[in-house]
Amino acid sequence: QIHLVESGGGLARPGDSLTLSCTPSNSSFKLRLYNVGWFRQAPGKKREGVSAISLSKDGRFYIDSVKGRFTISRDVAKNTVVLQMDDLKVEDTATYYCVSPVEGWGSMGPVYQYDYWGHGTQVTVSP
């Protein structure tokens, strides 16, 4: 597992945008060499994988509820993975976590098999 630090969360109105970033706490890890997944957890709900980016053909995964609104990408120069969130909805309110490595993210989304989750970054969408 890699310890990643998330940033960019905050308060937004429905329809607004936020940009989440994650970067290794140890800069010696080059994130461009790893599969990375974004998960979120809202109060009273189970954690769910919302997006992932793979080394294989730079493939991407999005859960159905965020398709067309969220975009995952790599900023290699900054050693970060970015989750651009557009057209935010109240239902996007959650704590968002970036983790690596992830695997098995076919129809079931990304799978993270380690214990470290970090603190995440809080996203609150409210009218």
Side-chain angles (χ1 to χ4, degrees):
Q1 65 186 60
I2 300 173
H3 289 194
L4 300 176
V5 179
E6 306 92 346
S7 63
L11 177 64
R13 303 295 187 187
D16 285 356
S17 296
L18 287 173
T19 303
L20 306 185
S21 298
C22 71
T23 190
S25 59
N26 184 340
S27 62
S28 66
F29 290 103
K30 305 306 179 184
L31 203 53
R32 65 180 176 86
L33 303 178
Y34 296 88
N35 302 325
V36 177
W38 283 96
F39 291 74
R40 68 185 181 187
Q41 186 167 26
K45 296 185 177 181
K46 295 182 178 180
R47 185 185 295 117
E48 63 178 354
V50 298
S51 188
I53 188 165
S54 173
L55 295 174
S56 179
K57 300 180 180 180
D58 209 20
R60 292 163 171 82
F61 165 85
Y62 303 97
I63 195 170
D64 285 347
S65 61
V66 309
K67 286 182 178 177
R69 300 189 297 115
F70 290 10
T71 304
I72 190 169
S73 63
R74 298 182 185 272
D75 188 336
V76 176
K78 297 181 179 179
N79 197 26
T80 65
V81 167
V82 174
L83 185 67
Q84 176 67 40
M85 306 188 299
D86 297 320
D87 192 23
L88 284 164
K89 302 181 182 300
V90 171
E91 294 75 24
D92 296 319
T93 296
T95 301
Y96 285 72
Y97 303 88
C98 184
V99 294
S100 182
V102 294
E103 61 182 285
W105 47 283
S107 60
M108 301 301 295
V111 176
Y112 179 62
Q113 299 181 345
Y114 302 93
D115 294 328
Y116 180 82
W117 287 92
H119 296 104
T121 186
Q122 178 66 41
V123 172
T124 301
V125 185
S126 179

